Amino acid sequence: MAETPKFTPRVFSGIQPSGSLTLGNYLGAMTKFVDWQNRGTHETIFCMVDLHAITVPQAPDTLRHNTRELCAGFLASGIDPEKSILINQSRVPEHAQLGWIFNCVARMGWMGRMTQWKDKSGKNAEAASLGLFAYPALMAADILLYKSTHVPVGEDQKQHIELTRDIAAKFNHDYDVDFFPMTAPVIEGAATRIMSLKDGTKKMSKSDPVEASRINLTDDADAIAKKFKKAKTDPDPLPGTPEGLEGRPDARNLVNIYAALAETSVADVLAANEGKMFGYFKQDLADLAVSKLSPVSTEMARLMKDPAEIDRVLARGSERAREISVPVLEQVYDIIGMVR
Ligand code: AQP
């Protein structure tokens, strides 16, 4: 007889409402989330991580708007709030409570080694918020609060999932329990790292101050075409094989985006476009992007006309989430010796 797994197969992942969703978030995260949901092999929980967003300054009205718009993005991309639990982090207080406990489990040295901390704090780490430094401990809490077994993410988040495992292992060891799972990062598919349209060595980000560096899901067809037209490339035509993209990060990025949108391989895209100049390829890419993204952005705009309905979806999601999170946190409090 097959052994019953100790942990319920459960997927958790989140996106920060720190700006408008980018093509990077969509291809690297959102489409994968929808896949997981529709596979039906795991429970799925998706989160708008608003507490993470305030680790850097956010104007309150903008944050509110971005959180609702992100929720609209989840729904428009195919997340079904009946099949998946859809929440915003601040509405499930156990995230912050477990986050505090993990602040006391994680070590300063671990946090100081995080690449995202180094990138985002930059040269002025003294002025960065304590929250930005502690971010990965809260992220570990987001994941482990639901004893999640799998976390689909883009390449940039791999280090944080490894840290989540370190925190789980230290907690289990320190308290001599087998309470938290060793969560697995799932980094799969063609679009694990979509790069800036202005610099093929830098990740496409919602908070990049250069608007032309990214495609947003709220961009209209015109804006998408213009951004691809002005995307950085090199003067050479497209090669016939992936090896021909060596040392050409901007060219590689555009081909990679095309392959991800067309749900095909880079090799197939190159075989079909060998010798084409980027001026023409960018036009094809823009047409493909518009055809794939416009149904999503149209649906997002429709959903945003009824913010009360979005709030109801999130309220219902948090009720369902708390059916899991409240007992888990109670057990954690018991394990660590809090009088209840
Ligand atoms: N460029 C990208 N390519 C592939 N995947 C990406 N992700 C983000 N950018 C890319 C994936 O999207 C998910 C949500 O990310 P996030 O919003 O929590 O934070 P982030 O990774 O820091 O994303 P941004 O867009 O760069 O936000 P800001 O600018 O606020 O920091 C994650 O799974 C991430 O891997």
Side-chain angles (χ1 to χ4, degrees), residues 279-294:
Y280 295 104
F281 182 72
K282 283 172 170 181
Q283 185 55 55
D284 294 347
L285 177 55
D287 292 344
L288 176 63
V290 168
S291 75
K292 290 278 175 172
L293 300 182
S294 67

Side-chain angles (χ1 to χ4, degrees), residues 142-196:
D142 299 336
I143 295 165
L144 294 172
L145 185 57
Y146 304 100
K147 299 190 173 183
S148 310
T149 53
H150 295 84
V151 181
V153 278
E155 189 68 46
D156 60 316
Q157 291 296 334
K158 186 167 175 229
Q159 199 184 27
H160 288 163
I161 313 297
E162 282 160 4
L163 188 111
T164 298
R165 294 162 66 99
D166 290 342
I167 290 176
K170 183 160 166 51
F171 181 96
N172 287 349
H173 175 266
D174 288 356
Y175 294 103
D176 195 20
V177 288
D178 184 15
F179 188 72
F180 288 121
M182 291 297 116
T183 308
V186 187
I187 302 169
E188 56 186 16
T192 56
R193 200 163 162 77
I194 300 294
M195 310 309 273
S196 158

Side-chain angles (χ1 to χ4, degrees), residues 106-248:
R107 307 287 95 183
M108 296 283 283
W110 300 357
M111 307 308 238
R113 284 191 283 276
M114 292 297 111
T115 313
Q116 183 170 299
W117 156 251
K118 290 184 202 159
D119 288 350
K120 287 199 172 176
S121 60
K123 290 193 178 70
N124 199 5
E126 290 280 310
S129 72
L130 185 56
L132 188 65
F133 188 69
Y135 179 119
L138 180 58
M139 181 165 161
D142 299 336
I143 295 165
L144 294 172
L145 185 57
Y146 304 100
K147 299 190 173 183
S148 310
T149 53
H150 295 84
V151 181
V153 278
E155 189 68 46
D156 60 316
Q157 291 296 334
K158 186 167 175 229
Q159 199 184 27
H160 288 163
I161 313 297
E162 282 160 4
L163 188 111
T164 298
R165 294 162 66 99
D166 290 342
I167 290 176
K170 183 160 166 51
F171 181 96
N172 287 349
H173 175 266
D174 288 356
Y175 294 103
D176 195 20
V177 288
D178 184 15
F179 188 72
F180 288 121
M182 291 297 116
T183 308
V186 187
I187 302 169
E188 56 186 16
T192 56
R193 200 163 162 77
I194 300 294
M195 310 309 273
S196 158
L197 298 183
K198 289 293 174 190
D199 178 353
T201 63
K202 208 174 127 197
K203 189 185 79 145
M204 182 183 283
S205 268
K206 2 175 165 66
S207 56
D208 191 321
V210 182
E211 170 69 26
S213 68
R214 60 176 174 270
I215 304 288
N216 287 119
L217 258 57
T218 45
D219 286 343
D220 61 19
D222 235 30
I224 293 177
K226 277 198 190 113
K227 285 180 178 176
F228 277 125
K229 195 169 172 197
K230 290 191 180 152
K232 198 170 163 217
T233 32
D234 55 43
D236 295 334
L238 274 89
T241 61
E243 295 71 49
L245 292 172
E246 283 301 317
R248 301 176 65 188

Side-chain angles (χ1 to χ4, degrees), residues 12-34:
F12 176 95
S13 203
I15 299 187
Q16 297 186 73
S18 47
S20 282
L21 274 169
T22 69
L23 183 63
N25 300 133
Y26 180 71
L27 292 173
M30 201 66 97
T31 55
K32 317 261 166 77
F33 300 170
V34 175

